[in-house]
Amino acid sequence: ALDARRNPPCIAGYAIEPRDDPSTPPSAEAIRHAVDQASDSIGDVAIAMPTTATLTRLISLPSTLHPNAIAARIQLAAQQALRQPLNTLYYDFRALNHDSTEATRYQLTACRRSEVEAPTSRLKTARLRCRVVDTQAHALARSVQLTATQQNLEGTIGIVDSGQTQLHLSVLHNQTLIYSQDAGLPEQASTTPLDSVLERALALYQSHPEHPEIDHLWISGGNANALITARSESFDPHPLTAIDPLSILGTHERVDPASIQHDLPRLLIALGLALHASDAHAHWR
């Protein structure tokens, strides 16, 4: 829960709800219980779609096109990419640059309606209204942008999210998402196999000759500290840096600083969503 009335925003509360089976979605009751634990008053609610359930494309269009023509071109690109009728898709797009008189680049994000309707129906059952749908990669990127200096955001950065069952690697080039992949984790994970899974994920990214070399790696998720320790001991040329925006945001008096610092790696997607939902200048508004 983010208090956007303060500048910068302040973390007003949070909750982590355990699940017996991570492979199944949380129930409406569990969601409602977590929300009630996190805040007394609920505003806009945001959710993050798994990046594997969404498609992101960069599209370059002539700058002289009429807005209606731009929308038509974007719709056609979404249909062709997902091979689905437009009425079965949710999609959004935004301009990434306005510095060229000849062409403008747009970022298209699309997914099947069924992927969004399932979690939003659970929110509705929990008496919550979803106002923002984002991707996990973009939500994490918001937390990184809050933490990093401008120098660390330039070039190509990798964001590693290591959860209970999956490790996710996202790569941003000049703050634009260019790559995303998921890798399953072994059931009995220790630091050695976790590090091996990350190495394979990085090798798969680097196997594409057109991919730029990663300049900096950021880490989040419940296994963040174990991975940081493992890679610092191996003297890897790309050490992992923990995403830590607390020094920028600060916390409400009711939030225990030691507890949230301990839980922070597991909260960074939720934090990125809260930053999105509370941003009066966000694209979706």
Side-chain angles (χ1 to χ4, degrees):
L2 207 63
D3 184 354
R5 295 170 298 178
R6 301 191 186 187
N7 187 22
C10 170
I11 297 177
Y14 76 96
I16 297 175
E17 188 75 10
R19 286 193 283 165
D20 294 332
D21 185 358
S23 64
T24 60
S27 66
E29 291 78 13
I31 294 171
R32 186 70 218 189
H33 183 261
V35 169
D36 290 341
Q37 291 281 98
S39 178
D40 296 329
S41 59
I42 304 303
D44 293 335
V45 175
I47 61 171
M49 302 301 298
T51 309
T52 52
T54 62
L55 176 141
T56 301
R57 288 285 187 273
L58 297 178
I59 301 170
S60 183
L61 297 176
S63 298
T64 55
L65 282 181
H66 188 274
N68 290 342
I70 293 172
R73 295 275 193 97
I74 295 291
Q75 290 175 355
L76 180 61
Q79 285 180 277
Q80 291 176 337
L82 289 177
R83 302 180 185 277
Q84 295 284 326
L86 198 62
N87 62 0
T88 67
L89 303 175
Y90 283 124
Y91 69 95
D92 196 7
F93 62 94
R94 65 187 181 98
L96 296 179
N97 69 301
H98 298 281
D99 56 354
S100 172
T101 57
E102 297 181 356
T104 300
R105 287 198 311 155
Y106 294 87
Q107 179 174 279
L108 162 69
T109 303
C111 69
R112 294 177 177 85
R113 283 180 177 261
S114 59
E115 298 282 357
V116 176
E117 288 167 353
T120 53
S121 67
R122 287 192 293 274
L123 290 175
K124 186 176 181 180
T125 303
R127 306 184 308 281
L128 299 168
R129 184 175 62 170
C130 178
R131 294 292 305 274
V132 179
V133 178
D134 207 337
T135 69
Q136 292 180 356
H138 285 109
L140 274 175
R142 280 181 175 262
S143 292
V144 171
Q145 288 167 337
L146 193 67
T147 304
T149 64
Q150 187 62 37
Q151 181 180 2
N152 285 339
L153 287 174
E154 294 174 351
T156 305
I157 65 171
I159 305 174
V160 180
D161 182 52
S162 182
Q164 188 171 355
T165 60
Q166 285 190 326
L167 182 143
H168 180 80
L169 172 66
S170 303
V171 181
L172 290 84
H173 181 66
N174 294 332
Q175 303 190 47
T176 299
L177 183 68
I178 62 170
Y179 181 83
S180 183
Q181 66 157 295
D182 285 324
L185 293 176
E187 291 186 7
Q188 300 296 326
S190 64
T191 56
T192 302
L194 279 174
D195 195 33
S196 299
V197 173
L198 176 55
E199 286 297 330
R200 287 195 296 271
L202 291 171
L204 183 59
Y205 167 80
Q206 293 161 352
S207 66
H208 296 268
E210 71 274 13
H211 286 165
E213 183 178 350
I214 294 176
D215 301 313
H216 201 90
L217 278 176
W218 296 86
I219 180 71
S220 69
N223 291 313
N225 291 333
L227 270 170
I228 289 174
T229 301
R231 290 179 70 83
S232 63
E233 292 174 351
S234 65
F235 302 102
D236 190 88
H238 293 119
L240 294 166
T241 302
I243 305 171
D244 187 0
L246 287 185
S247 61
I248 304 296
L249 288 176
T251 55
H252 195 273
E253 293 80 6
R254 63 180 262 181
V255 177
D256 178 54
S259 295
I260 195 170
Q261 190 70 58
H262 176 269
D263 293 331
L264 185 64
R266 295 192 287 167
L267 300 172
L268 292 166
I269 291 177
L271 177 58
L273 288 174
L275 289 166
H276 190 169
S278 64
D279 184 357
H281 303 288
H283 164 71
W284 73 281
R285 292 186 187 273

